[in-house]
Amino acid sequence: MTSFLRLLLVVFVLLAATAVVSEAQILDRPSRPFRGVFGGAEVPNPNRTRDELTFFADLLGGYDSNLAPEGSLPLPTTTVPASGFTGLADLVLRYWHGQAARHIEVEGRGYLTAYQLTGVEPLVGQNLRVRGQTMFDRKTRLEGNAYFTRDPFLGFGGYDALPISADAAALANPANGLTTGLSWSQTAIGGLTREWTRQAHTTASYDYTRREYVRGPGFDGHSQSGQVGHEQTVTQTATQTVSWRTSYRFSNATLFEPNRTRPIEDHTVDGGFTYSKNLSRTRRLVLGATLGATRVATVSTITEQPLEYWTPSGTGTLYFDFYRSWSISADYRRGVGVLDGITTEAFVSDAVVLRTGGHVNSRTDLTFATGYSNGRTGDVLTRGDYNTYIGTAQVRVGLARWAAFIANYNYFDYQLAPFTLPVGVTLTTIPSSFDRHAVRFGLSLWLPLYGGFVQRPGDRTGTGDF
């Protein structure tokens, strides 16, 4: 069986798959060890092979104050989209097989968003995700992820570069997307971790992404990146740990405009520290930061000549358990990226996401999240910039071991300053500024169909008793 899992991982790492732009409608609070409907169950023997087949469903309805209409003709930037009611259905079937050290997971998802607005048809999306890991020996771990996605929304946020722990993808849900885009994308990610000692390990990873737009102002493109990082524990006691880390990352993207191809290449070197302290048996504080520099090589929109520049880069992380089941987390990153689907210009951006949440009682939990992102074009001749704001407040009440009531509020806002775009593509295809308030409520269901059902990081619910 081990050789079979290794073969599957190698195949899926070499295949293309995709990063999901429109994630589920449900946010998870920062994880804490708390018994309750969403607190999680006891993890079984990690060395025992097990199978799990689980069905998830989110059925929500609500109201959006500002729906972005779609159409074949460009819309004036002064067009104010109509308000209206929306209905959302999100269905997921997930299969998990293996042990903690060696396992594979396959997840198929389909989702639909319907609008009470003339001329806007229901938008349907699907994605397939395959991920897993295996151990070559006791100190070497191989991980692989593959995604295939049909995304009916033009996602716009600027939070993609944040770490997975920030859960920024969950904030890029359809409440924060425009209906003017439809794309297919594939992404493959592979990672290899080598543990040299208990205090030191090295990780190398590679990913490839390809996106093709079928509808809307998007630009087809593909990108690949590789990264290698090393982390070393400096001090470790019973209550606190201090470690340093350093990394190098290379990225190479190619975006296809109507009349030309634009390359964007960047190299980033940074280093920093992580500090972790156990404040009590159930409370913990984690601080982390890195600082470095990025070198960007692209082509100027104005002069059509090669453009190169350096810019500072860095990250910051905070995690704090402050009361029983309640915790707060914050993630920040400064780097280089593009506004996918809107322009091929490279932006030097800053993005931060703040999340907090906890249990009111064993049946009820609250989650709050907010984010801010801004960016400026690296080419001073284009003088472009953008700002985005996102926010979510959510309450989840357990009705049974397999069902919960959900109510959430989403806020989304962006401003795009005038900047040079390729000939034939202008900001008339989307509003130059956008502001949306959305309220949604409904049911979230999770049903174990086969095997044991246990909570793992990334699951939206747990199986604790009332």
Side-chain angles (χ1 to χ4, degrees), residues 151-171:
D151 193 342
F153 298 95
L154 177 62
F156 174 51
Y159 305 92
D160 297 339
L162 286 167
I164 296 177
S165 60
D167 199 21
L171 297 176

Side-chain angles (χ1 to χ4, degrees), residues 110-135:
Y111 53 97
L112 177 146
T113 303
Y115 299 87
Q116 186 198 35
L117 186 64
T118 303
V120 180
E121 298 295 329
L123 302 181
V124 180
Q126 307 91 22
N127 65 64
L128 173 67
R129 180 182 68 180
V130 180
R131 64 181 180 183
Q133 74 172 44
T134 188
M135 303 291 294

Side-chain angles (χ1 to χ4, degrees), residues 158-189:
Y159 305 92
D160 297 339
L162 286 167
I164 296 177
S165 60
D167 199 21
L171 297 176
N173 58 56
N176 302 335
L178 305 178
T179 63
T180 52
L182 171 63
S183 64
W184 292 89
S185 56
Q186 309 89 38
T187 296
I189 305 173

Side-chain angles (χ1 to χ4, degrees), residues 400-428:
R401 292 176 59 90
W402 48 269
F405 170 79
I406 300 284
N408 61 37
Y409 162 79
N410 291 275
Y411 172 74
F412 175 54
D413 175 87
Y414 74 72
Q415 296 93 37
L416 295 173
F419 51 82
T420 303
L421 293 175
V423 176
V425 181
T426 69
L427 282 179
T428 57

Side-chain angles (χ1 to χ4, degrees), residues 182-220:
L182 171 63
S183 64
W184 292 89
S185 56
Q186 309 89 38
T187 296
I189 305 173
L192 183 68
T193 299
R194 174 66 178 181
E195 183 179 338
W196 306 107
T197 66
R198 292 185 177 180
Q199 288 75 37
H201 67 269
T202 301
T203 300
S205 63
Y206 170 83
D207 66 84
Y208 174 83
T209 299
R210 182 180 184 87
R211 184 178 294 273
E212 298 179 4
Y213 280 87
V214 180
R215 180 189 66 213
F219 303 95
D220 295 346

